[in-house]
């Protein structure tokens, strides 16, 4: 273990560490805590200049009014309408591509693989004009489906990298053994590899969910009106309306941040496994 | 055995040849349509004058020539370099946070999760949080500065500080990301090597430098990749916090491109595409380096 | 009927030639073992028979049918992998029946065959378990069970016992041999362990660097190795090799041993030459009984209880191993008289080819 376990240190050092932990956490999360507190502060406090003191009361009505007076509920729904099909599409497609790249030694294999990998790293702006044009022409501009299709395609790059490496880590003899038994390639995928990919599917699902939920750029490029706008772009638009109504902005921010945060806490192990792929070995 | 119908037999005989392409096709086609072809199209459009609706006019290198004379381009380029340089601080900061948290005390798992929190939140929300944090009069940070120096600074309205202010906001989630990479790396250290080094009397900084860091090299590599990409992709925070202002002083290439191609400044698709191509070329340098390293690793497998 | 025949089979990986032309006939029902040092191409050859590797050149026939370009599932073979390759998410029963299920057999048939295989391998109490809950030996049996249910004409084994501990290995060796007797199927078995080869095989194929060195029954290889490689590979402890001068003499061969002792061997020789004399440790006499007696000094004594293995130095420094009685009293540093019986001596020429085999069965 590195650093040396604190249990081996002197008693005062241990105590200092135990005290330092919460202090460091509070400092680290200061912007978040500030926003959370503000979201519960009544508007009257802000008007009276009470920005830092104890709120005069806990104003849950900020949240109520955000939901009542703004379309944020609708935006959240749109975000789900974009995110969930994207997760299913990207993870599904990448199971197939990852399998193809991990199991078969066809000639273009490495090139295709590196194209997927490189695609991950490119700046979105190089895609912006043509993808917007394509979406417009397909009549999908300003629809959640337009966003879904793009996100599925783009996330497939990252997911393929992940899936391919995951399947490469499975014992190849499983596949060969099935081949000798007369099992078809599709059956091998369906009955042997797919069941063993469950951890990878879980990890990618939470990751893709978070990435797509938090996307802002494409939400502004491919959507204009309220009816298809996801919550990130919606929040930005609301921020323009709520000039200086920080209690509302804060409440809106917390609402927008909540789904991925919940996802993270529920599926923490998978989330981190996905994010740190490759951080331990070659 | 029942009689095998002809198509089934054909499939059976040739499935090893067909299967890889069949599995690959759906994902590859999507990726081709939405990622690979648009790259080529963008490069093509960068040689055109086009408002997104009317006909395209071939203008050759005119967009690039104009770019070379555009002051905003240089501001954006300079800011991108600043982003790149300062963003890399997320790596040592993330390592420090990971070392701080890599203990086995009660509740440490929750601490790790909470430290990681900023990464899970959308950059839009992060941008709003920091805008609030920096706000003159009532922003906590401004209050802190006022208390320390006696004078007030409006970070996001001050050309001197605005980019640093946005980068600081970006470092918050990025540090969390690097921290989680290093925590995973630290979890997978080779303990025998560390014990051996401790027997040889290496400890503290020297142990870190000569034994731990080399073992953390894969984590450092991934942290480098995601941080460099993140720095060059910076768009959300600039858009949310300043929209490139004041007076274009916090401009970066990604936002500059968006502004030229799609915002109220007019629909200059060709010019925007040219900016995107420049950004793409800068990114390509790094992508090539990363891929070369990955190829080397594939060879060693 | 499932004889396996390979004619001039070759395999290249890119520019590197791994299998360099194999001609081999394996009879129906025969237990054939491929043996050779690690990396010599045994697995590659087996996988070519299974259809998991393409055959670069040459032809493969199984049961008289040309299988050179046929897919693995249509060759009528079953393979047991070194790692067992059990599907971790399926129970033992599902593992055994999986291939049948996927190839469209009906449920009753699958159940019947699974039960029969489980019975034969004493797997009945384990059918509902997952592979993760089994011991190494049990996993091995499941892997064999998976092969049996398909009633293959040819079984292929790739080092199936190398992940087991020593005692289990001996036990499984016996079980596989018994299985062979019960099923009467052709079996091809790859191992790098010559003891496994000797104890199980009807026919041993000794491979080295992608070529066949010799094919024969275990005793043939033991008594009549064709060359130095086979002589050194088969038998444990290894055959002793001693550099000697040989010349024709009196219708036989006379060799001069280190220290000057001469030994008269049968056979014929055209001209005098430097040669290598081979003598197995179990045929050398520690009590000095033999047709030539050499003085030697004990370097090391390994006491195994039932026997003692001496490593002794001859006059010119050559070290040889000698198997002796378990109660032999000599200790390191002591002198011994080593007897060389002429009828057990092998002689190899400068190319490593046998000129004379000390075949004790003759
Ligand atoms: N797919 C492959 N590509 C290149 N070389 C290979 C491949 N498979 C095996 N080899 C090489 O072929 C040789 C024989 O391998 P193998 O048949 O596994 O040996 P054995 O089973 O006798 O130990 C080895 O030198 C190995 O490195
Ligand atoms: Mg092998």
């Amino acid at each position: 273990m590195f650093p040396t376990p604190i249990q081996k240190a002197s008693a005062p050092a241990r105590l200092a560490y135990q005290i330092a932990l919460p202090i460091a956490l509070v400092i680290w999360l200061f912007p978040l805590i500030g926003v959370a507190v503000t979201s519960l502060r009544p508007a009257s406090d802000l008007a009276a200049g009470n920005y830092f003191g104890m709120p005069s009361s806990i104003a849950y009505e900020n949240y109520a009014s955000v939901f009542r007076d703004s379309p944020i509920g609708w935006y959240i729904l749109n975000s789900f309408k974009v995110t969930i099909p994207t997760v299913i599409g990207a993870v599904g497609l990448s199971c197939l591509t990852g399998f193809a790249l991990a199991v078969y030694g066809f000639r273009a294999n490495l090139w295709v693989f590196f194209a997927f990998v490189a695609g991950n790293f490119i700046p979105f702006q190089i895609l912006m004009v043509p993808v917007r044009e394509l979406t417009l022409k397909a009549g999908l501009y300003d629809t959640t489906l337009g966003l879904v299709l793009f996100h599925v395609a783009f996330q497939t790059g990252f997911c393929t990298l992940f899936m391919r490496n995951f399947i490469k880590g499975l014992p190849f003899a499983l596949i060969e053994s099935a081949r000798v038994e007369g099992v078809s390639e599709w059956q091998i995928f369906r009955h042997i590899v797919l069941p063993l990919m469950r951890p990878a599917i879980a990890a990618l699902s939470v990751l893709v969910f978070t990435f797509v939920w938090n996307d802002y750029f494409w939400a502004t490029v491919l959507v204009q009106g309220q009816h298809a706008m996801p919550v990130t772009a919606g929040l930005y638009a609301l921020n323009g309306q709520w000039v200086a109504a920080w209690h509302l902005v804060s409440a809106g921010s917390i609402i927008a941040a909540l789904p991925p945060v919940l996802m993270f806490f529920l599926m923490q192990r998978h989330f981190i496994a996905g994010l740190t792929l490759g951080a331990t070995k070659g | 055995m029942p009689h095998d119908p002809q198509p089934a037999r054909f499939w059976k005989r040739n499935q090893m040849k067909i299967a890889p392409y069949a599995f690959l096709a759906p994902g590859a086609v999507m990726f081709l349509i939405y990622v690979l072809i648009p790259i080529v199209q963008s490069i093509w459009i960068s040689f055109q004058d086009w408002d997104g609706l009317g006909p395209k006019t071939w203008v050759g290198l005119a967009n690039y020539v104009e770019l070379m004379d555009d002051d905003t381009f240089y501001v954006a380029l300079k800011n991108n370099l600043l982003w790149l340089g300062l963003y890399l601080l997320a790596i040592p900061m993330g390592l420090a946070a990971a070392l701080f948290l890599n203990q086995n005390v009660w509740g440490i798992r929750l601490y790790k999760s909470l430290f990681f929190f900023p990464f899970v939140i959308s950059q839009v929300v992060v941008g709003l949080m920091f805008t609030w944090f920096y706000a003159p009069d009532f922003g906590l940070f401004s209050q802190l500065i006022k208390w320390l120096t006696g004078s007030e600074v409006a970070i996001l309205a001050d050309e001197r500080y605005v980019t640093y202010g946005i980068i600081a906001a970006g470092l918050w989630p990025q540090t969390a990301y690097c921290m989680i990479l290093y925590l995973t790396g630290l979890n997978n250290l080779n303990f025998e090597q560390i014990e051996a080094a401790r027997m040889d009397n290496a400890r503290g900084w020297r142990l870190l430098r000569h034994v731990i860091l080399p073992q953390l090299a894969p984590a450092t590599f991934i942290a480098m990749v995601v941080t460099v990409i993140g720095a060059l992709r910076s768009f959300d925070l600039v858009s949310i916090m300043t929209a490139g202002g004041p007076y274009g002083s916090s401009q970066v290439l990604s936002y500059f491109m968006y502004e030229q191609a799609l915002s109220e400044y007019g629909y200059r698709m060709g010019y925007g595409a040219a900016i995107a191509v420049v950004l793409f070329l800068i990114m390509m340098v790094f992508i090539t380096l990363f891929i070369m390293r990955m190829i080397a690793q594939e060879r060693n497998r | 009927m499932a004889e396996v025949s390979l004619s001039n089979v070759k395999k290249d990986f890119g520019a590197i030639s791994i299998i360099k032309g194999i001609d081999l006939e394996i009879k129906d029902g025969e237990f054939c073992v491929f043996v050779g040092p690690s990396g010599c191409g045994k697995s590659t050859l087996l996988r070519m028979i299974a259809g998991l590797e393409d055959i670069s050149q040459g032809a493969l026939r199984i049961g008289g049918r040309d299988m050179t370009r046929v897919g693995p599932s249509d060759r009528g073979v079953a393979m047991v992998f070194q790692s067992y390759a059990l599907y971790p998410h399926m129970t033992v029963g599902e593992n055994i029946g999986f291939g049948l299920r996927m190839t469209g057999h009906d449920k009753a048939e699958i159940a019947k065959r699974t039960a029969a295989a489980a019975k034969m391998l004493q797997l009945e109490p384990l059918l509902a378990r997952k592979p993760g809950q089994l011991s190494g030996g049990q996993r091995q049996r499941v892997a064999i069970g998976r092969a049996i249910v398909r009633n293959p004409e040819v079984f292929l084994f790739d080092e199936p016992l190398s992940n087991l501990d020593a005692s289990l290995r001996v036990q499984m060796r016996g079980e596989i041999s018994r299985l062979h007797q019960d099923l009467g199927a052709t079996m091809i078995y790859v191992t790098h362990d010559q003891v496994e080869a000797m104890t199980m095989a009807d026919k041993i194929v000794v491979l080295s660097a992608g070529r066949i060195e010799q094919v024969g029954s275990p005793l043939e290889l033991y008594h009549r190795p064709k060359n130095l490689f086979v002589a050194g590979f088969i038998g444990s402890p290894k055959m002793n090799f001693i550099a000697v001068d040989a010349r024709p003499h009196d219708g036989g061969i006379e060799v001069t041993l280190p220290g000057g002792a001469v030994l008269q061997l049968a056979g014929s020789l055209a001209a005098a030459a430097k040669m290598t004399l081979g003598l197995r440790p179990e045929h050398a006499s520690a009590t000095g009984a033999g047709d030539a007696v050499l003085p030697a000094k004990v370097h090391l004594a390994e006491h195994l209880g039932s026997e003692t293995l001496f490593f002794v130095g001859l006059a010119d420094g050559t070290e040889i191993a000698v198997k002796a009685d378990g109660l032999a009293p000599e200790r390191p540093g002591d002198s011994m008289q080593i007897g060389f019986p002429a009828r057990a001596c092998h002689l190899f020429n400068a190319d490593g080819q046998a000129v004379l085999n000390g075949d004790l069965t003759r």
Side-chain angles (χ1 to χ4, degrees):
Chain A
M1 186 119 170
F2 186 86
T4 312
I6 197 78
Q7 284 82 352
K8 288 190 188 162
S10 63
R14 280 206 303 269
L15 187 67
Y17 183 73
Q18 291 285 8
I19 295 173
L21 267 180
I23 294 178
L25 182 67
V26 169
I27 294 175
W28 181 240
L29 291 184
F30 221 101
L32 183 65
I33 296 168
V35 165
V37 171
T38 306
S39 75
L40 290 171
R41 204 180 273 285
S44 55
D45 275 21
L46 298 179
N50 178 7
Y51 289 108
F52 309 113
M54 286 305 286
S56 56
S57 64
I58 303 282
Y60 295 111
E61 67 265 23
N62 290 345
Y63 285 89
S65 94
V66 164
F67 273 111
R68 190 172 13 137
D69 304 333
S70 82
I72 200 157
W74 182 248
Y75 293 153
I76 296 256
L77 187 67
N78 282 336
S79 277
F80 277 114
K81 285 204 284 199
V82 172
T83 308
I84 289 173
T86 302
V87 168
I88 295 170
V91 173
L93 286 183
S94 62
C95 282
L96 298 171
T97 49
F99 180 78
L101 294 176
V103 169
Y104 302 98
F106 56 100
R107 206 174 315 143
N109 188 315
L110 263 194
W111 288 109
V112 176
F113 177 58
F114 286 126
F116 276 118
V117 175
N120 267 304
F121 296 152
I122 58 171
F124 291 142
Q125 283 71 23
I126 192 91
L127 308 179
M128 188 183 98
V129 174
V131 167
R132 184 172 175 276
E133 182 69 7
L134 178 68
T135 308
L136 271 169
K137 280 208 180 116
L140 296 173
Y141 185 74
D142 226 1
T143 63
T144 48
L145 180 61
L147 274 175
V148 167
L149 287 179
F150 172 77
H151 282 311
V152 166
F154 191 82
Q155 296 298 337
T156 295
F158 169 73
C159 295
T160 298
L161 161 70
F162 188 102
M163 290 297 191
R164 180 256 193 194
N165 287 351
F166 185 88
I167 298 173
K168 277 238 151 169
L170 298 175
F172 196 62
L174 293 181
I175 291 160
E176 293 192 319
S177 163
R179 277 184 189 155
V180 177
E181 289 192 74
V183 182
S184 76
E185 297 300 303
W186 169 256
Q187 288 169 329
I188 289 175
F189 171 74
R190 172 68 192 77
H191 294 283
I192 295 175
V193 175
L194 203 55
L196 296 177
M197 280 164 79
R198 290 228 297 262
I201 291 172
L204 277 183
S205 299
V206 278
L207 274 188
V208 172
F209 181 92
T210 311
F211 291 162
V212 173
W213 184 279
N214 289 341
D215 163 70
Y216 166 72
F217 180 75
W218 293 102
T220 57
V221 170
L222 296 183
V223 169
Q224 207 164 29
Q226 269 187 13
H227 72 278
M229 194 175 272
V231 71
T232 44
L235 190 61
Y236 179 64
L238 289 177
N239 183 44
Q241 294 169 24
W242 292 331
V243 206
W246 279 104
H247 56 297
L248 298 181
V249 175
S250 302
S253 300
I254 299 283
I255 293 167
L258 217 51
V261 165
L262 284 180
M263 195 65 144
F264 168 66
F265 269 101
L266 290 178
M267 316 258 302
Q268 206 179 125
R269 192 182 310 268
H270 292 303
F271 190 100
I272 290 174
L275 210 55
T276 56
L277 167 84
T280 51
K281 63 167 209 276
Chain B
M1 275 261 97
H3 174 68
D4 247 348
Q6 208 57 35
R9 192 170 283 172
F10 172 82
W11 169 246
K12 203 168 183 198
R13 188 161 321 129
N14 291 290
Q15 64 168 338
M16 288 301 290
K17 285 196 205 89
I18 302 167
Y21 300 103
F23 281 111
L24 201 55
V29 166
M30 285 290 280
F31 199 72
L32 199 66
I33 292 175
Y34 271 102
V35 180
L36 297 182
I37 294 176
I39 294 176
V40 181
Q41 286 174 322
S42 267
I43 296 172
W44 173 250
I45 292 168
S46 76
F47 297 115
Q48 321 270 345
D49 185 20
W50 187 38
D51 65 1
L53 292 170
K56 301 187 182 85
T57 332
W58 178 265
V59 294
L61 289 173
N63 286 325
Y64 292 94
V65 172
E66 185 184 341
L67 201 56
M68 292 300 124
D69 286 331
D70 190 331
D71 289 339
T72 313
F73 172 66
Y74 291 101
V75 175
L77 198 59
K78 190 202 88 195
N79 282 339
N80 265 125
L81 291 179
L82 207 56
W83 270 89
L84 201 56
L86 291 178
Y87 226 47
L88 288 172
L89 288 177
I91 296 172
M93 279 161 45
L95 176 61
L99 291 173
F100 177 61
L101 290 177
N102 193 36
Q103 292 291 351
N104 221 338
V105 298
W106 189 82
I108 196 72
R109 272 185 51 120
L110 186 62
Y111 274 107
K112 287 178 188 170
S113 311
L114 290 172
F115 264 87
F116 182 62
F117 229 90
F119 183 77
V120 186
I121 302 170
S122 159
Q123 297 237 330
V124 174
V125 175
V126 170
L128 288 176
M129 283 179 182
F130 273 79
T131 308
W132 173 82
F133 195 51
Y134 289 145
D137 297 335
F138 59 86
L140 267 180
F141 187 75
S142 308
Q143 294 298 314
L144 191 69
I145 297 287
K146 194 170 167 189
W147 182 68
L148 284 175
T149 65
S151 61
E152 230 180 328
V153 204
I155 303 270
L156 297 181
D158 192 316
E159 293 180 37
R160 286 170 301 172
Y161 305 127
V162 59
T163 296
Y164 297 98
I166 304 175
I167 295 174
L171 277 175
W172 193 46
Q174 195 64 28
T175 301
Y177 192 175
C178 294
M179 176 197 82
I180 211 78
L181 290 172
Y182 277 120
L183 273 175
T184 308
L186 286 171
N187 252 326
N188 289 280
L189 290 176
N190 176 342
F191 295 117
E192 285 182 8
Q193 235 184 66
I194 300 176
E195 294 303 319
R198 285 204 167 115
M199 306 265 267
D200 288 341
N201 248 331
R203 58 190 79 241
W205 167 249
R206 288 206 307 168
L207 184 60
L208 179 67
R209 165 83 186 69
H210 295 289
V211 181
I212 309 293
L213 278 185
Q215 288 196 49
L216 291 176
T220 306
F221 174 69
I222 308 273
M224 287 277 275
V225 174
V226 296
T227 304
V228 167
I229 304 292
L232 291 174
R233 270 200 185 156
S234 54
F235 172 89
D236 298 6
L237 290 175
V238 174
S239 165
I240 301 292
M241 294 174 78
T242 64
Y247 315 116
S249 57
S250 63
Q251 200 55 274
V252 289
L253 288 175
S254 58
Y255 191 76
F256 182 38
M257 181 274 164
Y258 171 79
E259 198 178 72
Q260 291 299 320
L262 274 193
S263 75
E264 62 266 33
Y265 296 90
Y267 282 71
R268 300 194 58 198
M269 300 287 180
Y271 194 50
I275 303 171
V277 169
V278 171
L279 182 58
F280 177 70
L281 290 179
I282 297 174
M283 205 89 112
M284 239 10 235
V285 175
F286 293 99
I287 296 176
T288 312
L289 289 176
F290 298 150
I291 299 261
M292 267 162 53
R293 200 190 122 128
M294 285 187 66
I295 291 181
Q297 280 176 351
E298 286 295 318
R299 293 251 163 81
N300 291 339
R301 269 205 187 169
Chain C
M1 291 303 278
E3 63 284 344
V4 176
S5 104
L6 290 80
S7 49
N8 195 26
V9 163
K10 292 183 183 169
K11 177 74 189 176
D12 309 317
F13 286 117
I16 308 162
S17 166
I18 296 293
I19 300 292
K20 298 162 186 162
I22 299 284
D23 288 292
L24 183 64
E25 297 289 336
I26 300 166
K27 290 204 262 312
D28 182 42
E30 200 165 37
F31 197 113
C32 174
V33 175
F34 295 172
V35 69
S38 247
C40 69
K42 309 177 294 288
S43 296
T44 305
L45 189 58
L46 191 75
R47 293 162 53 82
M48 287 161 82
I49 297 172
L52 293 171
E53 301 279 2
D54 292 335
I55 295 173
S56 307
Q57 230 188 81
L60 165 74
R61 305 175 74 79
I62 298 176
R65 290 209 301 138
D66 182 8
M67 295 289 187
T68 315
R69 299 275 169 261
V70 174
S73 54
D74 297 330
R75 293 191 182 190
V77 302
M79 181 151 168
V80 176
F81 289 80
Q82 179 172 358
S83 61
Y84 317 141
L86 302 183
Y87 310 125
H89 55 295
M90 299 182 200
T91 63
V92 168
E94 288 165 346
N95 258 287
I96 294 176
F98 179 69
L100 297 178
R101 187 156 69 88
M102 290 296 116
T103 43
H105 291 72
D106 66 55
K107 281 216 173 75
E109 173 75 8
I110 298 173
K112 200 180 87 196
R113 288 215 225 163
T114 305
K119 181 148 191 271
M120 188 176 242
L121 295 162
Q122 296 117 48
L123 286 171
E124 284 150 321
L126 306 176
L127 282 175
R129 291 209 201 159
K130 293 265 176 75
Q133 302 162 300
L134 303 179
S135 70
Q138 291 167 336
R139 284 180 210 182
Q140 176 65 71
R141 284 208 290 271
V142 177
I144 295 173
R146 213 167 54 180
I148 291 176
V149 281
R150 300 181 47 234
N151 297 332
E153 299 186 306
V154 181
F155 284 84
L156 307 175
F157 297 87
D158 190 356
E159 309 224 11
L161 306 186
S162 58
N163 287 343
L164 301 179
D165 61 40
S167 67
L168 208 49
R169 205 150 38 191
V170 174
Q171 184 195 333
M172 286 307 296
R173 221 157 68 192
E175 288 195 22
I176 293 177
S177 293
R178 213 162 307 127
L179 195 70
H180 177 239
Q181 286 165 15
D182 291 350
L183 297 173
T186 311
M187 292 190 175
I188 306 178
Y189 185 106
V190 161
T191 179
H192 65 269
D193 178 356
Q194 60 93 24
V195 178
E196 261 172 43
M198 295 296 279
T199 50
M200 301 173 81
D202 295 325
K203 175 191 272 178
I204 296 181
V205 178
V206 182
L207 292 167
S208 157
R211 287 211 171 78
I212 293 184
E213 294 287 343
Q214 190 171 355
V215 180
S217 72
L219 289 185
E220 252 166 45
L221 297 192
Y222 180 83
H223 291 292
R224 292 192 295 279
K226 267 195 200 156
N227 53 41
L228 272 176
F229 181 85
V230 177
F233 195 81
I234 299 290
S236 172
K238 239 164 89 65
M239 185 186 282
N240 295 303
F241 294 124
I242 302 156
V244 295
D245 289 315
R247 56 192 180 84
H249 177 78
D250 232 358
I253 307 172
E254 184 183 85
V255 297
T256 312
L257 294 163
V262 289
L263 189 58
Q264 295 292 334
L265 302 176
S268 63
L269 199 60
K274 295 220 171 281
M275 292 209 165
T276 304
L277 179 124
L279 181 65
R280 297 194 182 276
E282 55 270 39
H283 300 151
S285 159
T287 50
D291 305 300
V293 179
L294 278 70
K297 186 149 259 143
V298 178
H299 290 167
L300 183 68
E302 288 179 352
H303 299 281
L304 303 175
S306 60
E307 62 198 32
T308 304
L309 193 60
F310 288 109
F311 294 90
V312 302
L314 301 180
D316 67 342
T318 309
E319 187 174 87
I320 65 170
V322 180
K323 222 179 232 185
D325 189 83
L327 299 175
E330 286 83 354
R331 316 179 49 131
D334 291 356
S335 293
M336 285 180 85
Q337 299 293 322
I338 306 299
F340 279 52
R343 57 190 292 264
C345 285
H346 304 258
L347 205 54
F348 303 93
N349 66 17
D351 299 330
Q353 298 303 312
V355 176
L356 172 71
N357 281 135
D359 181 357
L360 294 170
T361 60
R362 241 192 313 255

